[in-house]
Amino acid sequence: MTLKLLVVDDQALFRDALCTLLALEPDFAVIGEAGDGVEAVEAVRRLRPDVVLMDLRMPGMDGAEATRRILASRSSTRVIVLTTFEEDEEVFRSVRAGAAGYLLKASPSEKLCDAIRRAAKGESILEPSVAAKVLAEFNRISSKLDGLAGNRASAPALTEPLSARENDVLRCLSRGMSNKEIGTQLHIAEGTVKNHVSQLLAKLGALDRTQAALRGRDLNLL
């Protein structure tokens, strides 16, 4: 299966280099480019890509707003945000918008290509450093709300508790680890990890790995 990709970045040199890199992969087809969020939304409408590689800081409509609009109109398209350490607030906005992945622009090419394939399969991808920032920010917001409310309503308990192994997997995925990395860390097969992740999502009532990590935090499992 060939994955149709749209590359969105306001820096033409970076965009061209990324398109050239992606074109080397036999299962990728770069079907379009966009230089800002407005162009990205229109390109998705016309071209119907499988995965969008989205810059965050762009003139006009930024990447977080473009992600929100794209997913509101075409939920089957997956968006991977390419970010830098300086863009924390935009990352948090794109989390809320529903982006499937967050990678640093300096990530190795093999990591980016793997993230694209995983996103197309429905997985969520978080760069470990970005995952830590996201969870820290949601913890900060949660603590602030606790202070304003005086106390915090407990998160609904799980109808079925997590097994010890599922707890291990939850801790790993909250650090942005892939199924392969989790398997290596826990000395189990990648297919077994995938089964554990599916069980985790079901038990936690989460749609993806990011939601699972946040739900695990609310339940004091992390």
Side-chain angles (χ1 to χ4, degrees), residues 18 21-22 24-25 28 80 103-118 125 127 178 180-181:
L18 188 54
L21 172 70
L22 296 172
L24 298 175
E25 299 297 315
F28 292 169
I80 296 177
L103 290 178
L104 299 176
K105 285 188 174 182
S107 296
S109 59
E110 58 270 19
K111 188 168 189 175
L112 173 61
C113 293
D114 177 62
I116 292 170
R117 295 182 181 103
R118 288 169 55 199
I125 305 96
E127 180 80 30
S178 68
K180 183 176 181 180
E181 290 168 335

mmCIF file with all atom_site columns, all heavy atoms in Angstrom, residues 18 21-22 24-25 28 80 103-118 125 127 178 180-181:
data_model
loop_
_atom_site.group_PDB
_atom_site.id
_atom_site.type_symbol
_atom_site.label_atom_id
_atom_site.label_alt_id
_atom_site.label_comp_id
_atom_site.label_asym_id
_atom_site.label_entity_id
_atom_site.label_seq_id
_atom_site.pdbx_PDB_ins_code
_atom_site.Cartn_x
_atom_site.Cartn_y
_atom_site.Cartn_z
_atom_site.occupancy
_atom_site.B_iso_or_equiv
_atom_site.pdbx_formal_charge
_atom_site.auth_seq_id
_atom_site.auth_comp_id
_atom_site.auth_asym_id
_atom_site.auth_atom_id
_atom_site.pdbx_PDB_model_num
ATOM 1   N N   . LEU A 1 18  ? 12.542 17.768 2.738  1.00 0.00 ? 18  LEU A N   1
ATOM 2   C CA  . LEU A 1 18  ? 11.704 16.716 3.306  1.00 0.00 ? 18  LEU A CA  1
ATOM 3   C C   . LEU A 1 18  ? 11.011 15.922 2.204  1.00 0.00 ? 18  LEU A C   1
ATOM 4   O O   . LEU A 1 18  ? 10.943 14.687 2.259  1.00 0.00 ? 18  LEU A O   1
ATOM 5   C CB  . LEU A 1 18  ? 10.668 17.340 4.244  1.00 0.00 ? 18  LEU A CB  1
ATOM 6   C CG  . LEU A 1 18  ? 9.816  16.382 5.080  1.00 0.00 ? 18  LEU A CG  1
ATOM 7   C CD1 . LEU A 1 18  ? 10.696 15.433 5.881  1.00 0.00 ? 18  LEU A CD1 1
ATOM 8   C CD2 . LEU A 1 18  ? 8.898  17.176 6.010  1.00 0.00 ? 18  LEU A CD2 1
ATOM 9   N N   . LEU A 1 21  ? 13.509 13.592 0.637  1.00 0.00 ? 21  LEU A N   1
ATOM 10  C CA  . LEU A 1 21  ? 13.784 12.472 1.536  1.00 0.00 ? 21  LEU A CA  1
ATOM 11  C C   . LEU A 1 21  ? 12.659 11.444 1.491  1.00 0.00 ? 21  LEU A C   1
ATOM 12  O O   . LEU A 1 21  ? 12.899 10.241 1.353  1.00 0.00 ? 21  LEU A O   1
ATOM 13  C CB  . LEU A 1 21  ? 13.954 12.999 2.959  1.00 0.00 ? 21  LEU A CB  1
ATOM 14  C CG  . LEU A 1 21  ? 14.061 11.955 4.068  1.00 0.00 ? 21  LEU A CG  1
ATOM 15  C CD1 . LEU A 1 21  ? 15.385 11.207 3.966  1.00 0.00 ? 21  LEU A CD1 1
ATOM 16  C CD2 . LEU A 1 21  ? 13.940 12.620 5.434  1.00 0.00 ? 21  LEU A CD2 1
ATOM 17  N N   . LEU A 1 22  ? 11.431 11.902 1.575  1.00 0.00 ? 22  LEU A N   1
ATOM 18  C CA  . LEU A 1 22  ? 10.281 10.994 1.608  1.00 0.00 ? 22  LEU A CA  1
ATOM 19  C C   . LEU A 1 22  ? 10.102 10.257 0.283  1.00 0.00 ? 22  LEU A C   1
ATOM 20  O O   . LEU A 1 22  ? 9.649  9.110  0.254  1.00 0.00 ? 22  LEU A O   1
ATOM 21  C CB  . LEU A 1 22  ? 9.010  11.769 1.955  1.00 0.00 ? 22  LEU A CB  1
ATOM 22  C CG  . LEU A 1 22  ? 8.995  12.414 3.351  1.00 0.00 ? 22  LEU A CG  1
ATOM 23  C CD1 . LEU A 1 22  ? 7.772  13.308 3.502  1.00 0.00 ? 22  LEU A CD1 1
ATOM 24  C CD2 . LEU A 1 22  ? 9.020  11.345 4.432  1.00 0.00 ? 22  LEU A CD2 1
ATOM 25  N N   . LEU A 1 24  ? 12.227 8.944  -1.458 1.00 0.00 ? 24  LEU A N   1
ATOM 26  C CA  . LEU A 1 24  ? 13.129 7.793  -1.549 1.00 0.00 ? 24  LEU A CA  1
ATOM 27  C C   . LEU A 1 24  ? 12.490 6.515  -1.016 1.00 0.00 ? 24  LEU A C   1
ATOM 28  O O   . LEU A 1 24  ? 12.973 5.419  -1.304 1.00 0.00 ? 24  LEU A O   1
ATOM 29  C CB  . LEU A 1 24  ? 14.421 8.077  -0.762 1.00 0.00 ? 24  LEU A CB  1
ATOM 30  C CG  . LEU A 1 24  ? 15.274 9.253  -1.244 1.00 0.00 ? 24  LEU A CG  1
ATOM 31  C CD1 . LEU A 1 24  ? 16.435 9.479  -0.289 1.00 0.00 ? 24  LEU A CD1 1
ATOM 32  C CD2 . LEU A 1 24  ? 15.777 9.001  -2.663 1.00 0.00 ? 24  LEU A CD2 1
ATOM 33  N N   . GLU A 1 25  ? 11.417 6.653  -0.254 1.00 0.00 ? 25  GLU A N   1
ATOM 34  C CA  . GLU A 1 25  ? 10.747 5.482  0.322  1.00 0.00 ? 25  GLU A CA  1
ATOM 35  C C   . GLU A 1 25  ? 9.764  4.892  -0.683 1.00 0.00 ? 25  GLU A C   1
ATOM 36  O O   . GLU A 1 25  ? 8.897  5.616  -1.188 1.00 0.00 ? 25  GLU A O   1
ATOM 37  C CB  . GLU A 1 25  ? 10.019 5.866  1.609  1.00 0.00 ? 25  GLU A CB  1
ATOM 38  C CG  . GLU A 1 25  ? 10.928 6.403  2.704  1.00 0.00 ? 25  GLU A CG  1
ATOM 39  C CD  . GLU A 1 25  ? 11.932 5.373  3.166  1.00 0.00 ? 25  GLU A CD  1
ATOM 40  O OE1 . GLU A 1 25  ? 11.539 4.202  3.390  1.00 0.00 ? 25  GLU A OE1 1
ATOM 41  O OE2 . GLU A 1 25  ? 13.123 5.724  3.294  1.00 0.00 ? 25  GLU A OE2 1
ATOM 42  N N   . PHE A 1 28  ? 5.941  5.488  -0.079 1.00 0.00 ? 28  PHE A N   1
ATOM 43  C CA  . PHE A 1 28  ? 5.453  6.848  0.120  1.00 0.00 ? 28  PHE A CA  1
ATOM 44  C C   . PHE A 1 28  ? 5.255  7.539  -1.224 1.00 0.00 ? 28  PHE A C   1
ATOM 45  O O   . PHE A 1 28  ? 6.047  7.356  -2.154 1.00 0.00 ? 28  PHE A O   1
ATOM 46  C CB  . PHE A 1 28  ? 6.446  7.692  0.933  1.00 0.00 ? 28  PHE A CB  1
ATOM 47  C CG  . PHE A 1 28  ? 6.599  7.278  2.371  1.00 0.00 ? 28  PHE A CG  1
ATOM 48  C CD1 . PHE A 1 28  ? 7.626  7.816  3.139  1.00 0.00 ? 28  PHE A CD1 1
ATOM 49  C CD2 . PHE A 1 28  ? 5.748  6.363  2.967  1.00 0.00 ? 28  PHE A CD2 1
ATOM 50  C CE1 . PHE A 1 28  ? 7.785  7.458  4.472  1.00 0.00 ? 28  PHE A CE1 1
ATOM 51  C CE2 . PHE A 1 28  ? 5.898  5.990  4.297  1.00 0.00 ? 28  PHE A CE2 1
ATOM 52  C CZ  . PHE A 1 28  ? 6.918  6.536  5.051  1.00 0.00 ? 28  PHE A CZ  1
ATOM 53  N N   . ILE A 1 80  ? 0.846  14.470 11.578 1.00 0.00 ? 80  ILE A N   1
ATOM 54  C CA  . ILE A 1 80  ? 2.043  14.396 12.413 1.00 0.00 ? 80  ILE A CA  1
ATOM 55  C C   . ILE A 1 80  ? 2.648  15.790 12.478 1.00 0.00 ? 80  ILE A C   1
ATOM 56  O O   . ILE A 1 80  ? 2.963  16.393 11.454 1.00 0.00 ? 80  ILE A O   1
ATOM 57  C CB  . ILE A 1 80  ? 3.083  13.414 11.838 1.00 0.00 ? 80  ILE A CB  1
ATOM 58  C CG1 . ILE A 1 80  ? 2.531  11.986 11.837 1.00 0.00 ? 80  ILE A CG1 1
ATOM 59  C CG2 . ILE A 1 80  ? 4.383  13.470 12.655 1.00 0.00 ? 80  ILE A CG2 1
ATOM 60  C CD1 . ILE A 1 80  ? 3.477  10.976 11.205 1.00 0.00 ? 80  ILE A CD1 1
ATOM 61  N N   . LEU A 1 103 ? 6.889  14.991 16.515 1.00 0.00 ? 103 LEU A N   1
ATOM 62  C CA  . LEU A 1 103 ? 8.307  14.684 16.390 1.00 0.00 ? 103 LEU A CA  1
ATOM 63  C C   . LEU A 1 103 ? 9.108  15.966 16.292 1.00 0.00 ? 103 LEU A C   1
ATOM 64  O O   . LEU A 1 103 ? 8.616  16.986 15.794 1.00 0.00 ? 103 LEU A O   1
ATOM 65  C CB  . LEU A 1 103 ? 8.568  13.842 15.128 1.00 0.00 ? 103 LEU A CB  1
ATOM 66  C CG  . LEU A 1 103 ? 8.071  12.397 15.110 1.00 0.00 ? 103 LEU A CG  1
ATOM 67  C CD1 . LEU A 1 103 ? 8.405  11.782 13.762 1.00 0.00 ? 103 LEU A CD1 1
ATOM 68  C CD2 . LEU A 1 103 ? 8.706  11.588 16.230 1.00 0.00 ? 103 LEU A CD2 1
ATOM 69  N N   . LEU A 1 104 ? 10.342 15.896 16.753 1.00 0.00 ? 104 LEU A N   1
ATOM 70  C CA  . LEU A 1 104 ? 11.239 17.025 16.595 1.00 0.00 ? 104 LEU A CA  1
ATOM 71  C C   . LEU A 1 104 ? 11.755 17.061 15.158 1.00 0.00 ? 104 LEU A C   1
ATOM 72  O O   . LEU A 1 104 ? 12.001 16.022 14.542 1.00 0.00 ? 104 LEU A O   1
ATOM 73  C CB  . LEU A 1 104 ? 12.413 16.896 17.562 1.00 0.00 ? 104 LEU A CB  1
ATOM 74  C CG  . LEU A 1 104 ? 12.025 16.868 19.044 1.00 0.00 ? 104 LEU A CG  1
ATOM 75  C CD1 . LEU A 1 104 ? 13.271 16.648 19.896 1.00 0.00 ? 104 LEU A CD1 1
ATOM 76  C CD2 . LEU A 1 104 ? 11.314 18.137 19.455 1.00 0.00 ? 104 LEU A CD2 1
ATOM 77  N N   . LYS A 1 105 ? 11.938 18.260 14.640 1.00 0.00 ? 105 LYS A N   1
ATOM 78  C CA  . LYS A 1 105 ? 12.428 18.394 13.266 1.00 0.00 ? 105 LYS A CA  1
ATOM 79  C C   . LYS A 1 105 ? 13.817 17.796 13.089 1.00 0.00 ? 105 LYS A C   1
ATOM 80  O O   . LYS A 1 105 ? 14.198 17.438 11.979 1.00 0.00 ? 105 LYS A O   1
ATOM 81  C CB  . LYS A 1 105 ? 12.438 19.866 12.848 1.00 0.00 ? 105 LYS A CB  1
ATOM 82  C CG  . LYS A 1 105 ? 11.056 20.425 12.548 1.00 0.00 ? 105 LYS A CG  1
ATOM 83  C CD  . LYS A 1 105 ? 11.149 21.825 11.964 1.00 0.00 ? 105 LYS A CD  1
ATOM 84  C CE  . LYS A 1 105 ? 9.779  22.318 11.526 1.00 0.00 ? 105 LYS A CE  1
ATOM 85  N NZ  . LYS A 1 105 ? 9.841  23.666 10.916 1.00 0.00 ? 105 LYS A NZ  1
ATOM 86  N N   . ALA A 1 106 ? 14.554 17.681 14.177 1.00 0.00 ? 106 ALA A N   1
ATOM 87  C CA  . ALA A 1 106 ? 15.900 17.122 14.109 1.00 0.00 ? 106 ALA A CA  1
ATOM 88  C C   . ALA A 1 106 ? 15.900 15.595 14.204 1.00 0.00 ? 106 ALA A C   1
ATOM 89  O O   . ALA A 1 106 ? 16.972 14.981 14.244 1.00 0.00 ? 106 ALA A O   1
ATOM 90  C CB  . ALA A 1 106 ? 16.750 17.698 15.230 1.00 0.00 ? 106 ALA A CB  1
ATOM 91  N N   . SER A 1 107 ? 14.727 14.961 14.222 1.00 0.00 ? 107 SER A N   1
ATOM 92  C CA  . SER A 1 107 ? 14.669 13.499 14.342 1.00 0.00 ? 107 SER A CA  1
ATOM 93  C C   . SER A 1 107 ? 15.333 12.833 13.139 1.00 0.00 ? 107 SER A C   1
ATOM 94  O O   . SER A 1 107 ? 15.267 13.347 12.015 1.00 0.00 ? 107 SER A O   1
ATOM 95  C CB  . SER A 1 107 ? 13.212 13.037 14.420 1.00 0.00 ? 107 SER A CB  1
ATOM 96  O OG  . SER A 1 107 ? 12.582 13.517 15.577 1.00 0.00 ? 107 SER A OG  1
ATOM 97  N N   . PRO A 1 108 ? 15.964 11.671 13.334 1.00 0.00 ? 108 PRO A N   1
ATOM 98  C CA  . PRO A 1 108 ? 16.551 10.932 12.205 1.00 0.00 ? 108 PRO A CA  1
ATOM 99  C C   . PRO A 1 108 ? 15.486 10.560 11.187 1.00 0.00 ? 108 PRO A C   1
ATOM 100 O O   . PRO A 1 108 ? 14.313 10.360 11.538 1.00 0.00 ? 108 PRO A O   1
ATOM 101 C CB  . PRO A 1 108 ? 17.131 9.678  12.875 1.00 0.00 ? 108 PRO A CB  1
ATOM 102 C CG  . PRO A 1 108 ? 17.276 10.027 14.319 1.00 0.00 ? 108 PRO A CG  1
ATOM 103 C CD  . PRO A 1 108 ? 16.176 10.986 14.625 1.00 0.00 ? 108 PRO A CD  1
ATOM 104 N N   . SER A 1 109 ? 15.882 10.450 9.927  1.00 0.00 ? 109 SER A N   1
ATOM 105 C CA  . SER A 1 109 ? 14.926 10.168 8.854  1.00 0.00 ? 109 SER A CA  1
ATOM 106 C C   . SER A 1 109 ? 14.209 8.841  9.060  1.00 0.00 ? 109 SER A C   1
ATOM 107 O O   . SER A 1 109 ? 13.004 8.730  8.787  1.00 0.00 ? 109 SER A O   1
ATOM 108 C CB  . SER A 1 109 ? 15.639 10.170 7.505  1.00 0.00 ? 109 SER A CB  1
ATOM 109 O OG  . SER A 1 109 ? 16.676 9.197  7.477  1.00 0.00 ? 109 SER A OG  1
ATOM 110 N N   . GLU A 1 110 ? 14.926 7.823  9.581  1.00 0.00 ? 110 GLU A N   1
ATOM 111 C CA  . GLU A 1 110 ? 14.283 6.527  9.777  1.00 0.00 ? 110 GLU A CA  1
ATOM 112 C C   . GLU A 1 110 ? 13.197 6.608  10.847 1.00 0.00 ? 110 GLU A C   1
ATOM 113 O O   . GLU A 1 110 ? 12.178 5.900  10.764 1.00 0.00 ? 110 GLU A O   1
ATOM 114 C CB  . GLU A 1 110 ? 15.311 5.451  10.136 1.00 0.00 ? 110 GLU A CB  1
ATOM 115 C CG  . GLU A 1 110 ? 16.142 5.723  11.379 1.00 0.00 ? 110 GLU A CG  1
ATOM 116 C CD  . GLU A 1 110 ? 17.424 6.470  11.081 1.00 0.00 ? 110 GLU A CD  1
ATOM 117 O OE1 . GLU A 1 110 ? 17.527 7.102  10.006 1.00 0.00 ? 110 GLU A OE1 1
ATOM 118 O OE2 . GLU A 1 110 ? 18.338 6.414  11.937 1.00 0.00 ? 110 GLU A OE2 1
ATOM 119 N N   . LYS A 1 111 ? 13.388 7.474  11.828 1.00 0.00 ? 111 LYS A N   1
ATOM 120 C CA  . LYS A 1 111 ? 12.379 7.640  12.873 1.00 0.00 ? 111 LYS A CA  1
ATOM 121 C C   . LYS A 1 111 ? 11.136 8.322  12.309 1.00 0.00 ? 111 LYS A C   1
ATOM 122 O O   . LYS A 1 111 ? 10.000 7.951  12.629 1.00 0.00 ? 111 LYS A O   1
ATOM 123 C CB  . LYS A 1 111 ? 12.948 8.470  14.028 1.00 0.00 ? 111 LYS A CB  1
ATOM 124 C CG  . LYS A 1 111 ? 12.047 8.536  15.240 1.00 0.00 ? 111 LYS A CG  1
ATOM 125 C CD  . LYS A 1 111 ? 12.795 9.127  16.437 1.00 0.00 ? 111 LYS A CD  1
ATOM 126 C CE  . LYS A 1 111 ? 11.967 9.001  17.703 1.00 0.00 ? 111 LYS A CE  1
ATOM 127 N NZ  . LYS A 1 111 ? 12.721 9.448  18.895 1.00 0.00 ? 111 LYS A NZ  1
ATOM 128 N N   . LEU A 1 112 ? 11.334 9.321  11.461 1.00 0.00 ? 112 LEU A N   1
ATOM 129 C CA  . LEU A 1 112 ? 10.215 10.009 10.830 1.00 0.00 ? 112 LEU A CA  1
ATOM 130 C C   . LEU A 1 112 ? 9.426  9.051  9.941  1.00 0.00 ? 112 LEU A C   1
ATOM 131 O O   . LEU A 1 112 ? 8.191  9.010  9.998  1.00 0.00 ? 112 LEU A O   1
ATOM 132 C CB  . LEU A 1 112 ? 10.721 11.193 10.009 1.00 0.00 ? 112 LEU A CB  1
ATOM 133 C CG  . LEU A 1 112 ? 9.667  11.913 9.163  1.00 0.00 ? 112 LEU A CG  1
ATOM 134 C CD1 . LEU A 1 112 ? 8.573  12.491 10.044 1.00 0.00 ? 112 LEU A CD1 1
ATOM 135 C CD2 . LEU A 1 112 ? 10.316 13.014 8.338  1.00 0.00 ? 112 LEU A CD2 1
ATOM 136 N N   . CYS A 1 113 ? 10.128 8.274  9.134  1.00 0.00 ? 113 CYS A N   1
ATOM 137 C CA  . CYS A 1 113 ? 9.447  7.334  8.233  1.00 0.00 ? 113 CYS A CA  1
ATOM 138 C C   . CYS A 1 113 ? 8.663  6.282  9.019  1.00 0.00 ? 113 CYS A C   1
ATOM 139 O O   . CYS A 1 113 ? 7.538  5.923  8.653  1.00 0.00 ? 113 CYS A O   1
ATOM 140 C CB  . CYS A 1 113 ? 10.465 6.665  7.308  1.00 0.00 ? 113 CYS A CB  1
ATOM 141 S SG  . CYS A 1 113 ? 11.229 7.807  6.117  1.00 0.00 ? 113 CYS A SG  1
ATOM 142 N N   . ASP A 1 114 ? 9.261  5.812  10.104 1.00 0.00 ? 114 ASP A N   1
ATOM 143 C CA  . ASP A 1 114 ? 8.559  4.847  10.959 1.00 0.00 ? 114 ASP A CA  1
ATOM 144 C C   . ASP A 1 114 ? 7.316  5.482  11.565 1.00 0.00 ? 114 ASP A C   1
ATOM 145 O O   . ASP A 1 114 ? 6.251  4.844  11.638 1.00 0.00 ? 114 ASP A O   1
ATOM 146 C CB  . ASP A 1 114 ? 9.501  4.369  12.066 1.00 0.00 ? 114 ASP A CB  1
ATOM 147 C CG  . ASP A 1 114 ? 8.815  3.413  13.032 1.00 0.00 ? 114 ASP A CG  1
ATOM 148 O OD1 . ASP A 1 114 ? 8.375  2.332  12.588 1.00 0.00 ? 114 ASP A OD1 1
ATOM 149 O OD2 . ASP A 1 114 ? 8.725  3.727  14.239 1.00 0.00 ? 114 ASP A OD2 1
ATOM 150 N N   . ALA A 1 115 ? 7.413  6.743  11.979 1.00 0.00 ? 115 ALA A N   1
ATOM 151 C CA  . ALA A 1 115 ? 6.269  7.435  12.570 1.00 0.00 ? 115 ALA A CA  1
ATOM 152 C C   . ALA A 1 115 ? 5.136  7.587  11.562 1.00 0.00 ? 115 ALA A C   1
ATOM 153 O O   . ALA A 1 115 ? 3.951  7.441  11.910 1.00 0.00 ? 115 ALA A O   1
ATOM 154 C CB  . ALA A 1 115 ? 6.703  8.811  13.071 1.00 0.00 ? 115 ALA A CB  1
ATOM 155 N N   . ILE A 1 116 ? 5.476  7.865  10.312 1.00 0.00 ? 116 ILE A N   1
ATOM 156 C CA  . ILE A 1 116 ? 4.453  8.000  9.271  1.00 0.00 ? 116 ILE A CA  1
ATOM 157 C C   . ILE A 1 116 ? 3.702  6.686  9.091  1.00 0.00 ? 116 ILE A C   1
ATOM 158 O O   . ILE A 1 116 ? 2.469  6.647  9.031  1.00 0.00 ? 116 ILE A O   1
ATOM 159 C CB  . ILE A 1 116 ? 5.093  8.444  7.944  1.00 0.00 ? 116 ILE A CB  1
ATOM 160 C CG1 . ILE A 1 116 ? 5.620  9.881  8.063  1.00 0.00 ? 116 ILE A CG1 1
ATOM 161 C CG2 . ILE A 1 116 ? 4.098  8.343  6.790  1.00 0.00 ? 116 ILE A CG2 1
ATOM 162 C CD1 . ILE A 1 116 ? 6.478  10.325 6.894  1.00 0.00 ? 116 ILE A CD1 1
ATOM 163 N N   . ARG A 1 117 ? 4.448  5.595  9.017  1.00 0.00 ? 117 ARG A N   1
ATOM 164 C CA  . ARG A 1 117 ? 3.810  4.283  8.828  1.00 0.00 ? 117 ARG A CA  1
ATOM 165 C C   . ARG A 1 117 ? 2.946  3.918  10.036 1.00 0.00 ? 117 ARG A C   1
ATOM 166 O O   . ARG A 1 117 ? 1.855  3.356  9.890  1.00 0.00 ? 117 ARG A O   1
ATOM 167 C CB  . ARG A 1 117 ? 4.885  3.226  8.584  1.00 0.00 ? 117 ARG A CB  1
ATOM 168 C CG  . ARG A 1 117 ? 5.660  3.444  7.277  1.00 0.00 ? 117 ARG A CG  1
ATOM 169 C CD  . ARG A 1 117 ? 6.697  2.360  7.020  1.00 0.00 ? 117 ARG A CD  1
ATOM 170 N NE  . ARG A 1 117 ? 7.419  2.629  5.769  1.00 0.00 ? 117 ARG A NE  1
ATOM 171 C CZ  . ARG A 1 117 ? 8.652  3.123  5.706  1.00 0.00 ? 117 ARG A CZ  1
ATOM 172 N NH1 . ARG A 1 117 ? 9.325  3.373  6.822  1.00 0.00 ? 117 ARG A NH1 1
ATOM 173 N NH2 . ARG A 1 117 ? 9.224  3.346  4.539  1.00 0.00 ? 117 ARG A NH2 1
ATOM 174 N N   . ARG A 1 118 ? 3.429  4.213  11.225 1.00 0.00 ? 118 ARG A N   1
ATOM 175 C CA  . ARG A 1 118 ? 2.665  3.906  12.440 1.00 0.00 ? 118 ARG A CA  1
ATOM 176 C C   . ARG A 1 118 ? 1.409  4.759  12.531 1.00 0.00 ? 118 ARG A C   1
ATOM 177 O O   . ARG A 1 118 ? 0.328  4.275  12.901 1.00 0.00 ? 118 ARG A O   1
ATOM 178 C CB  . ARG A 1 118 ? 3.539  4.115  13.672 1.00 0.00 ? 118 ARG A CB  1
ATOM 179 C CG  . ARG A 1 118 ? 4.615  3.051  13.850 1.00 0.00 ? 118 ARG A CG  1
ATOM 180 C CD  . ARG A 1 118 ? 5.606  3.450  14.921 1.00 0.00 ? 118 ARG A CD  1
ATOM 181 N NE  . ARG A 1 118 ? 4.948  3.748  16.180 1.00 0.00 ? 118 ARG A NE  1
ATOM 182 C CZ  . ARG A 1 118 ? 5.498  4.448  17.167 1.00 0.00 ? 118 ARG A CZ  1
ATOM 183 N NH1 . ARG A 1 118 ? 6.724  4.922  17.024 1.00 0.00 ? 118 ARG A NH1 1
ATOM 184 N NH2 . ARG A 1 118 ? 4.844  4.675  18.272 1.00 0.00 ? 118 ARG A NH2 1
ATOM 185 N N   . ILE A 1 125 ? 2.090  8.817  18.029 1.00 0.00 ? 125 ILE A N   1
ATOM 186 C CA  . ILE A 1 125 ? 3.539  8.864  18.210 1.00 0.00 ? 125 ILE A CA  1
ATOM 187 C C   . ILE A 1 125 ? 3.921  10.133 18.957 1.00 0.00 ? 125 ILE A C   1
ATOM 188 O O   . ILE A 1 125 ? 3.565  11.234 18.537 1.00 0.00 ? 125 ILE A O   1
ATOM 189 C CB  . ILE A 1 125 ? 4.270  8.844  16.845 1.00 0.00 ? 125 ILE A CB  1
ATOM 190 C CG1 . ILE A 1 125 ? 3.838  7.638  16.016 1.00 0.00 ? 125 ILE A CG1 1
ATOM 191 C CG2 . ILE A 1 125 ? 5.785  8.849  17.045 1.00 0.00 ? 125 ILE A CG2 1
ATOM 192 C CD1 . ILE A 1 125 ? 2.750  7.942  15.018 1.00 0.00 ? 125 ILE A CD1 1
ATOM 193 N N   . GLU A 1 127 ? 7.344  12.018 20.544 1.00 0.00 ? 127 GLU A N   1
ATOM 194 C CA  . GLU A 1 127 ? 8.760  12.112 20.869 1.00 0.00 ? 127 GLU A CA  1
ATOM 195 C C   . GLU A 1 127 ? 8.878  12.124 22.392 1.00 0.00 ? 127 GLU A C   1
ATOM 196 O O   . GLU A 1 127 ? 8.129  12.834 23.070 1.00 0.00 ? 127 GLU A O   1
ATOM 197 C CB  . GLU A 1 127 ? 9.330  13.409 20.288 1.00 0.00 ? 127 GLU A CB  1
ATOM 198 C CG  . GLU A 1 127 ? 10.789 13.635 20.540 1.00 0.00 ? 127 GLU A CG  1
ATOM 199 C CD  . GLU A 1 127 ? 11.675 12.847 19.599 1.00 0.00 ? 127 GLU A CD  1
ATOM 200 O OE1 . GLU A 1 127 ? 11.253 12.587 18.463 1.00 0.00 ? 127 GLU A OE1 1
ATOM 201 O OE2 . GLU A 1 127 ? 12.791 12.504 20.019 1.00 0.00 ? 127 GLU A OE2 1
ATOM 202 N N   . SER A 1 178 ? 7.632  3.486  21.108 1.00 0.00 ? 178 SER A N   1
ATOM 203 C CA  . SER A 1 178 ? 6.889  2.720  20.116 1.00 0.00 ? 178 SER A CA  1
ATOM 204 C C   . SER A 1 178 ? 6.665  1.301  20.624 1.00 0.00 ? 178 SER A C   1
ATOM 205 O O   . SER A 1 178 ? 7.267  0.879  21.625 1.00 0.00 ? 178 SER A O   1
ATOM 206 C CB  . SER A 1 178 ? 7.674  2.668  18.802 1.00 0.00 ? 178 SER A CB  1
ATOM 207 O OG  . SER A 1 178 ? 8.857  1.893  18.970 1.00 0.00 ? 178 SER A OG  1
ATOM 208 N N   . LYS A 1 180 ? 7.713  -1.394 19.286 1.00 0.00 ? 180 LYS A N   1
ATOM 209 C CA  . LYS A 1 180 ? 8.984  -2.105 19.194 1.00 0.00 ? 180 LYS A CA  1
ATOM 210 C C   . LYS A 1 180 ? 9.884  -1.768 20.371 1.00 0.00 ? 180 LYS A C   1
ATOM 211 O O   . LYS A 1 180 ? 10.509 -2.662 20.980 1.00 0.00 ? 180 LYS A O   1
ATOM 212 C CB  . LYS A 1 180 ? 9.685  -1.753 17.880 1.00 0.00 ? 180 LYS A CB  1
ATOM 213 C CG  . LYS A 1 180 ? 10.989 -2.502 17.651 1.00 0.00 ? 180 LYS A CG  1
ATOM 214 C CD  . LYS A 1 180 ? 11.569 -2.165 16.281 1.00 0.00 ? 180 LYS A CD  1
ATOM 215 C CE  . LYS A 1 180 ? 12.865 -2.934 16.035 1.00 0.00 ? 180 LYS A CE  1
ATOM 216 N NZ  . LYS A 1 180 ? 13.438 -2.610 14.705 1.00 0.00 ? 180 LYS A NZ  1
ATOM 217 N N   . GLU A 1 181 ? 9.951  -0.488 20.733 1.00 0.00 ? 181 GLU A N   1
ATOM 218 C CA  . GLU A 1 181 ? 10.786 -0.060 21.858 1.00 0.00 ? 181 GLU A CA  1
ATOM 219 C C   . GLU A 1 181 ? 10.265 -0.625 23.178 1.00 0.00 ? 181 GLU A C   1
ATOM 220 O O   . GLU A 1 181 ? 11.041 -1.027 24.047 1.00 0.00 ? 181 GLU A O   1
ATOM 221 C CB  . GLU A 1 181 ? 10.833 1.465  21.912 1.00 0.00 ? 181 GLU A CB  1
ATOM 222 C CG  . GLU A 1 181 ? 11.622 2.088  20.767 1.00 0.00 ? 181 GLU A CG  1
ATOM 223 C CD  . GLU A 1 181 ? 11.427 3.582  20.653 1.00 0.00 ? 181 GLU A CD  1
ATOM 224 O OE1 . GLU A 1 181 ? 10.371 4.085  21.105 1.00 0.00 ? 181 GLU A OE1 1
ATOM 225 O OE2 . GLU A 1 181 ? 12.321 4.249  20.099 1.00 0.00 ? 181 GLU A OE2 1
#
